[in-house]
């Protein structure tokens, strides 16, 4: 579905990504784990067109997208939930969700999708008339994911959904990520510092260290890998 071939991305003169290559198959949950500053967010932003790679190729269903603008990439069905959530704090929960469906014209289906989201996150249904800024961190993360889902993405890019959240809330959100993947067949690329939970949720994983992929494999095997256990799982 998505392939990165030898991606090199920069901020001015600083090279953040070195020769990144990875593949995501339709229906998979893929995780990219790594420490602070490893280049995880930059990888996502290179895919979504916010930090276009200087060299290399990104193919979505075989079509090159590395020179496309972010809005065209969204229109192809690739949606990013950025780190730190970035909901619209002054708009209500319902209005935030409406914004997610901005590019869509299938009004009837939008209603069905909204009902699905309120089933997935009943707390958002209860709070639909409240400003997004009044929600807790966990609820805002739920809203950010839901707003992206309202765009009906085929590939959902999640940047550290666990950031700043209590363990119980994080667990709940990861269970729902898995549910979305199962029920909607949404392919998921999950960037995380919480390697343990990410590898338990994903099918396959990649490890990023100072802008380079240093390891990849099946998530269940990576969980048993001693180097990963020492470096990322605190075992
Ligand atoms: P974190 O978990 O802290 O978000 P990350 O793995 O997502 O880290 P990136 O945010 O992608 O890492 O950063 C990769 C590298 O690029 C780091 O060295 C970082 O300092 C640098 N970087 C990120 N954003 C910018 C920017 N806007 N300008 C200059 N350098 C940047």
């Amino acid at each position: 579905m998505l392939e990165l071939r030898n991606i090199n991305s920069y901020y001015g003169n600083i090279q953040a990504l070195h020769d990144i290559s990875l593949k995501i198959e339709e229906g998979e949950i893929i995780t990219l784990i790594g420490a602070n500053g490893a280049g995880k967010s930059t990888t996502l932003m290179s895919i979504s067109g916010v930090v276009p790679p200087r060299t290399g190729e990104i193919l979505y269903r075989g079509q090159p997208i590395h020179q496309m603008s972010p809005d065209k990439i969204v229109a192809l069905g690739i949606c990013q939930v950025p780190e730190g959530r970035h909901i619209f704090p002054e708009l209500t929960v319902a209005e935030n969700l409406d914004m997610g469906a901005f590019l869509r014209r299938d009004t009837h289906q939008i209603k069905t999708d909204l009902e699905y989201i309120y089933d997935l996150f009943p707390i958002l249904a209860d709070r639909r008339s409240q400003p997004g800024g009044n929600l807790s961190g966990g609820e805002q993360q739920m809203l950010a994911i839901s707003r992206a889902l309202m765009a009906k993405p085929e590939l959902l890019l999640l940047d550290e959904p666990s950031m700043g959240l209590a363990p119980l809330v994080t667990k709940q959100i990861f269970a729902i990520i898995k549910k979305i993947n199962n029920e909607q067949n949404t392919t998921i690329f999950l960037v995380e510092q919480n390697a343990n939970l990410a590898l338990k949720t994903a099918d396959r994983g990649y490890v990023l260290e100072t802008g380079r992929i240093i390891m990849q494999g099946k998530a269940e095997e990576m969980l048993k890998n001693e180097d990963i256990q020492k470096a990322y799982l605190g075992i």
Side-chain angles (χ1 to χ4, degrees):
M1 185 182 209
L2 187 82
E3 185 175 358
L4 273 61
R5 289 186 184 158
N6 307 103
I7 289 303
N8 291 286
S9 297
Y10 293 73
Y11 295 99
N13 291 330
I14 301 166
Q15 184 165 6
L17 298 182
H18 300 259
D19 254 342
I20 300 289
S21 294
L22 59 83
K23 276 187 187 176
I24 301 175
E25 307 287 348
E26 183 135 28
E28 280 188 312
I29 302 182
I30 298 296
T31 188
L32 179 67
I33 58 174
N36 254 337
K40 303 182 299 299
S41 298
T42 308
T43 306
L44 287 192
M45 290 192 286
S46 293
I47 297 169
S48 58
V50 180
V51 181
R54 200 168 287 176
T55 61
E57 287 184 303
I58 303 179
L59 303 175
Y60 180 63
R61 301 191 185 285
Q63 178 185 5
I65 60 165
H66 48 274
Q67 287 171 341
M68 280 187 186
S69 57
D71 58 317
K72 294 227 165 65
I73 293 173
V74 171
L76 286 177
I78 302 177
C79 250
Q80 182 173 350
V81 180
E83 186 178 305
R85 311 184 264 271
H86 300 290
I87 56 138
F88 301 107
E90 266 140 51
L91 300 186
T92 64
V93 166
E95 287 164 345
N96 266 277
L97 294 173
D98 281 349
M99 294 299 279
F102 192 68
L103 286 176
R104 293 174 60 184
R105 294 288 167 265
D106 50 342
T107 323
H108 189 70
Q109 187 59 37
I110 290 175
K111 270 194 184 154
T112 313
D113 291 342
L114 193 58
E115 279 162 25
Y116 176 76
I117 280 167
Y118 284 148
D119 267 358
L120 216 51
F121 297 110
I123 189 80
L124 296 183
D126 295 346
R127 306 270 163 98
R128 70 182 84 190
S129 308
Q130 288 189 20
N134 286 7
L135 303 182
S136 71
E139 290 159 1
Q140 288 190 18
Q141 185 59 265
M142 293 173 194
L143 180 57
I145 294 172
S146 300
R147 189 181 57 190
L149 287 179
M150 286 304 289
K152 257 303 191 226
E154 291 174 6
L155 173 62
L156 185 62
L157 310 174
L158 296 172
D159 197 349
E160 298 212 24
S162 77
M163 198 173 79
L165 303 183
L168 204 63
V169 180
T170 304
K171 229 173 154 184
Q172 194 188 350
I173 286 178
F174 274 60
I176 286 175
I177 291 169
K178 195 121 190 160
K179 194 169 175 200
I180 294 163
N181 170 256
N182 273 332
E183 292 182 353
Q184 305 275 299
N185 198 33
T186 311
T187 307
I188 291 173
F189 189 37
L190 170 68
V191 155
E192 255 300 333
Q193 270 196 61
N194 185 336
N196 185 33
L197 205 49
L199 288 172
K200 281 183 178 151
T201 308
D203 300 302
R204 290 188 299 117
Y206 292 86
V207 181
L208 195 60
E209 213 172 85
T210 52
R212 293 178 173 83
I213 302 250
I214 55 151
M215 210 184 284
Q216 58 177 294
K218 284 193 177 158
E220 54 186 314
E221 283 164 17
M222 289 172 81
L223 275 169
K224 293 183 208 144
N225 180 294
E226 275 186 24
D227 293 335
I228 292 186
Q229 287 182 345
K230 268 191 214 134
Y232 298 100
L233 302 175
I235 297 175

